[in-house]
């Protein structure tokens, strides 16, 4: 029987949703206010879920300090108080929707966390809008 543990954190970032392959009118139709050229910010809430067996020695699934430090070093340091479009390699050519941000965070952390664990990312862009990856 596996157990899931969760680490909750947050970061603040600016972004603009825009697809350069579309016309200005199409961008505005699809992305609305999120397409405004001078960017806007969100207080992103991030919940990282790690699922695995409880280690019989420690009683932990994963050391939460280690997990917290991984998220801080590889996600928060990278995205907090940044403009995602302008300041990050990941979103230079990728539209920074909540869906894509969740996938990017998944890929970053997947490469840092032992494959014996399952990983899930939940990202809140607003209190009411959030994304799970994988679904
Ligand atoms: Ni937005």
């Amino acid at each position: 029987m596996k157990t899931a543990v969760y680490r909750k954190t947050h970061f603040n970032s600016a972004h603009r949703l825009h697809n350069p392959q579309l016309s200005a009118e199409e961008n505005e139709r699809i992305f609305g206010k999120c397409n405004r050229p001078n960017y806007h910010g969100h207080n992103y809430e991030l919940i990282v879920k790690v699922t695995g067996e409880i280690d019989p020695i420690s009683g932990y699934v994963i050391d939460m300090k280690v997990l917290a430090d991984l998220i801080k070093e590889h996600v928060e340091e990278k995205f907090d108080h940044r403009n995602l479009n302008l300041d990050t390699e990941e979103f230079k050519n990728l539209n920074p929707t909540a869906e894509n941000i969740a996938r990017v965070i998944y890929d970053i952390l997947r490469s840092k966390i032992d494959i014996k664990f399952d990983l899930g990312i939940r990202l809140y862009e607003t209190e009411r809008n959030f994304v799970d990856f994988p679904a």
Side-chain angles (χ1 to χ4, degrees):
M1 287 272 278
K2 291 187 173 182
T3 299
V5 298
Y6 299 81
R7 174 71 185 180
K8 191 174 171 187
T9 183
H10 71 271
F11 56 92
N12 305 322
S13 306
H15 76 168
R16 179 195 188 199
L17 301 184
H18 182 79
N19 183 336
Q21 294 173 314
L22 301 176
S23 69
E25 293 71 26
E26 286 171 308
N27 270 294
E28 204 189 328
R29 182 175 57 76
I30 294 170
F31 300 118
K33 288 192 283 190
C34 281
N35 183 243
R36 286 182 183 168
N38 290 334
Y39 307 95
H40 62 276
H42 290 281
N43 298 317
Y44 291 98
E45 291 283 337
L46 171 65
I47 299 173
V48 176
K49 175 186 184 183
V50 176
T51 307
E53 301 291 342
I54 297 176
D55 181 282
I57 307 295
S58 66
Y60 292 158
V61 172
I62 190 172
D63 185 330
M64 293 302 268
K65 174 75 166 71
V66 171
L67 179 62
D69 287 348
L70 275 178
I71 298 167
K72 187 170 178 51
E73 181 180 349
H74 300 287
V75 178
E76 292 169 48
E77 293 288 335
K78 194 182 266 286
F79 299 139
D80 188 36
H81 286 72
R82 308 269 187 205
N83 181 311
L84 297 176
N85 305 72
L86 300 180
D87 299 337
T88 72
E89 280 306 312
E90 287 81 358
F91 298 105
K92 284 236 165 13
N93 298 303
L94 180 66
N95 207 12
T97 59
E99 290 88 333
N100 281 332
I101 299 168
R103 292 190 75 132
V104 163
I105 291 171
Y106 177 90
D107 287 342
I108 291 169
L109 292 177
R110 186 67 282 180
S111 70
K112 311 286 179 197
I113 291 173
D114 194 314
I115 199 69
K116 73 182 179 182
F117 297 117
D118 291 326
L119 180 63
I121 301 299
R122 172 168 286 188
L123 183 72
Y124 285 81
E125 188 169 77
T126 68
E127 270 180 45
R128 295 190 176 93
N129 295 342
F130 61 95
V131 173
D132 276 329
F133 184 80

